[in-house]
Amino acid sequence: MENSSKEDYKIQSFDLETQKLLKTALKDPGSVDLEKVSSVIVDQSLKDQIFSREAGRICYTIVQAEAKQSNGSVFRRSLLTRLQQEFKAREETRTRSTQEWVCLVSFICNIFDYLKVNNMHMMALVPPVYDCLFRLAQSDALKNEEEVNLEHYYIEMDQLYKGDSSTM
């Protein structure tokens, strides 16, 4: 992660003003409204599955830059609050739009994968990740091709937590 260029993020799907906001957040997080940045990232992640996978890397870089610059956690706190809101509405989201549901699961899993505290996964994200992946394993989800395509996350998580039922 440390070797990735901050310019190689896939943010072309945004308008120029939003691209500028994200590029600034990646380089100088103290100079932008980080709550707005997290909102923009979550909103786009719920629309675009390809971006939802990229968003984990972007969030990781912003969290690292903010911590280095000001030892702050405004972005991470704002991001996690918004994820909590989206998670609470997950069944409504799934009913309304399978694509948005798949993007939400992908995004939550990527945030879980990239954002760590003391080099460990954020324990607050374990139950939501497990719940989403468990939901994907239900029979009605297995009939939906978009949801089945996320099965690799379930397999990875199963391997990650095999034998550690205390985290689930």
Side-chain angles (χ1 to χ4, degrees):
M1 212 55 251
E2 293 78 24
N3 296 332
S4 68
S5 167
K6 290 180 173 110
E7 299 302 319
D8 68 354
Y9 296 109
K10 296 173 178 71
I11 59 173
Q12 300 84 4
S13 58
F14 292 102
D15 61 69
L16 291 176
E17 184 179 327
T18 304
Q19 286 182 33
K20 182 179 177 188
L21 176 72
L22 291 174
K23 286 179 182 179
T24 303
L26 288 162
K27 294 176 185 169
D28 184 15
S31 67
V32 295
D33 179 351
L34 292 173
E35 290 181 14
K36 180 178 180 180
V37 172
S38 69
S39 185
V40 164
I41 291 171
V42 173
D43 289 344
Q44 186 66 23
S45 293
L46 295 178
K47 295 179 208 166
D48 181 347
Q49 189 176 5
I50 293 168
F51 181 78
S52 71
R53 294 179 181 173
E54 179 75 7
R57 289 181 43 209
I58 293 170
C59 291
Y60 170 84
T61 302
I62 294 171
V63 165
Q64 294 301 312
E66 181 187 19
K68 190 175 192 178
Q69 187 178 64
S70 67
N71 203 25
S73 61
V74 172
F75 178 77
R76 185 177 66 196
R77 187 173 44 253
S78 178
L79 178 67
L80 292 175
T81 299
R82 179 68 190 280
L83 275 176
Q84 183 179 39
Q85 293 166 354
E86 296 298 334
F87 177 73
K88 285 180 179 177
R90 65 193 176 281
E91 280 304 317
E92 293 84 8
T93 300
R94 186 175 178 273
T95 300
R96 182 181 63 248
S97 168
T98 303
Q99 179 189 354
E100 191 175 331
W101 157 247
V102 167
C103 288
L104 175 64
V105 174
S106 179
F107 184 54
I108 289 174
C109 289
N110 278 286
I111 293 301
F112 178 77
D113 188 36
Y114 280 97
L115 293 190
K116 297 179 179 165
V117 176
N118 296 327
N119 226 15
M120 294 180 61
H121 291 287
M122 296 175 70
M123 296 314 290
L125 289 176
V126 172
V129 167
Y130 179 78
D131 187 77
C132 288
L133 296 176
F134 184 77
R135 181 68 183 96
L136 286 173
Q138 301 304 304
S139 61
D140 62 328
L142 294 173
K143 295 174 186 170
N144 187 319
E145 186 177 333
E146 283 182 279
E147 291 178 293
V148 171
N149 288 335
L150 281 177
E151 185 177 351
H152 72 277
Y153 283 114
Y154 179 73
I155 293 167
E156 289 174 14
M157 293 306 294
D158 185 50
Q159 291 171 351
L160 210 104
Y161 292 104
K162 198 167 212 111
D164 188 4
S165 61
S166 67
T167 62
M168 295 182 207

